Amino acid sequence: TGHLVLSTLHTNDAPSTINRLMNMGIEPFLVATSVQLIAAQRLARRVCGNCKEAVEMSPQALMNIGFKKEEVGTFTVYKGRGCDKCNSTGYKGRVGLIEVMGIDDTIRELILSGGTAIDIKKRAAENGMISLRRSGLIKIKDGVTSVEEVVRETVK
């Protein structure tokens, strides 16, 4: 009817939302024609700016969590030591890890043909979607959060 509907749904990431909707009994053609965009988010703890300190991590460990070989060594990894301002946790505040998946014709075709969440995620990545993990890796590179937080809040 032309009405904009915003809703929340618990899923691991944006692409798996499609399968969740169909598991709830919504027909694939309705999902394909009605859904325009799906956003997923996780809140990661922000490294405390008062006690933030650089930590050494092996290049292999960074590549294991998703950094590309050419990215390793171009940034500093931080962790909070713990202080009075962060109640000795090393973290103060939260930062959003965001994944936004637009539904284009290629993804609509995958929905209609019964594509899996993996197929949809692959296609969305080809279309430029930044995954929750990649969003977290960007926050690590920017010195906003820690490796532990990104690994805890996202899947590779």
Side-chain angles (χ1 to χ4, degrees):
T1 61
H3 291 87
L4 174 65
V5 177
L6 304 175
S7 181
T8 62
L9 189 63
H10 181 76
T11 60
N12 290 329
D13 58 11
S16 61
T17 303
I18 300 295
N19 288 20
R20 178 66 57 88
L21 289 169
M22 290 189 282
N23 288 342
M24 292 170 57
I26 301 172
E27 295 293 332
F29 78 92
L30 287 173
V31 173
T33 58
S34 300
V35 177
Q36 302 297 313
L37 181 129
I38 300 170
Q41 73 172 7
R42 295 283 182 278
L43 292 177
R45 294 180 297 174
R46 189 182 288 267
V47 174
C48 176
N50 189 59
C51 63
K52 178 173 159 174
E53 60 186 16
V55 293
E56 290 292 321
M57 286 198 70
S58 73
Q60 189 58 53
L62 292 171
M63 288 187 289
N64 287 346
I65 66 165
F67 283 107
K68 297 176 181 117
K69 188 174 183 174
E70 57 271 12
E71 292 177 291
V72 175
T74 65
F75 60 94
T76 304
V77 177
Y78 292 97
K79 188 173 184 176
R81 180 178 61 256
C83 67
D84 292 342
K85 293 200 189 264
C86 64
N87 202 21
S88 298
T89 63
Y91 297 99
K92 186 150 180 73
R94 302 273 177 164
V95 62
L97 309 181
I98 310 294
E99 174 179 272
V100 178
M101 181 179 80
I103 309 297
D104 67 359
D105 290 339
T106 60
I107 293 177
R108 280 190 180 85
E109 288 174 23
L110 279 172
I111 295 168
L112 292 170
S113 65
T116 65
I118 294 169
D119 297 333
I120 294 169
K121 185 173 189 166
K122 182 180 175 191
R123 178 62 62 167
E126 290 169 0
N127 291 347
M129 180 186 79
I130 296 173
S131 69
L132 285 169
R133 174 60 65 100
R134 177 47 67 183
S135 178
L137 296 178
I138 292 167
K139 301 292 189 299
I140 292 169
K141 286 173 71 171
D142 291 343
V144 175
T145 193
S146 68
V147 168
E148 293 81 7
E149 275 299 285
V150 171
V151 169
R152 184 173 69 91
E153 291 294 336
T154 64
V155 292
K156 191 171 176 186

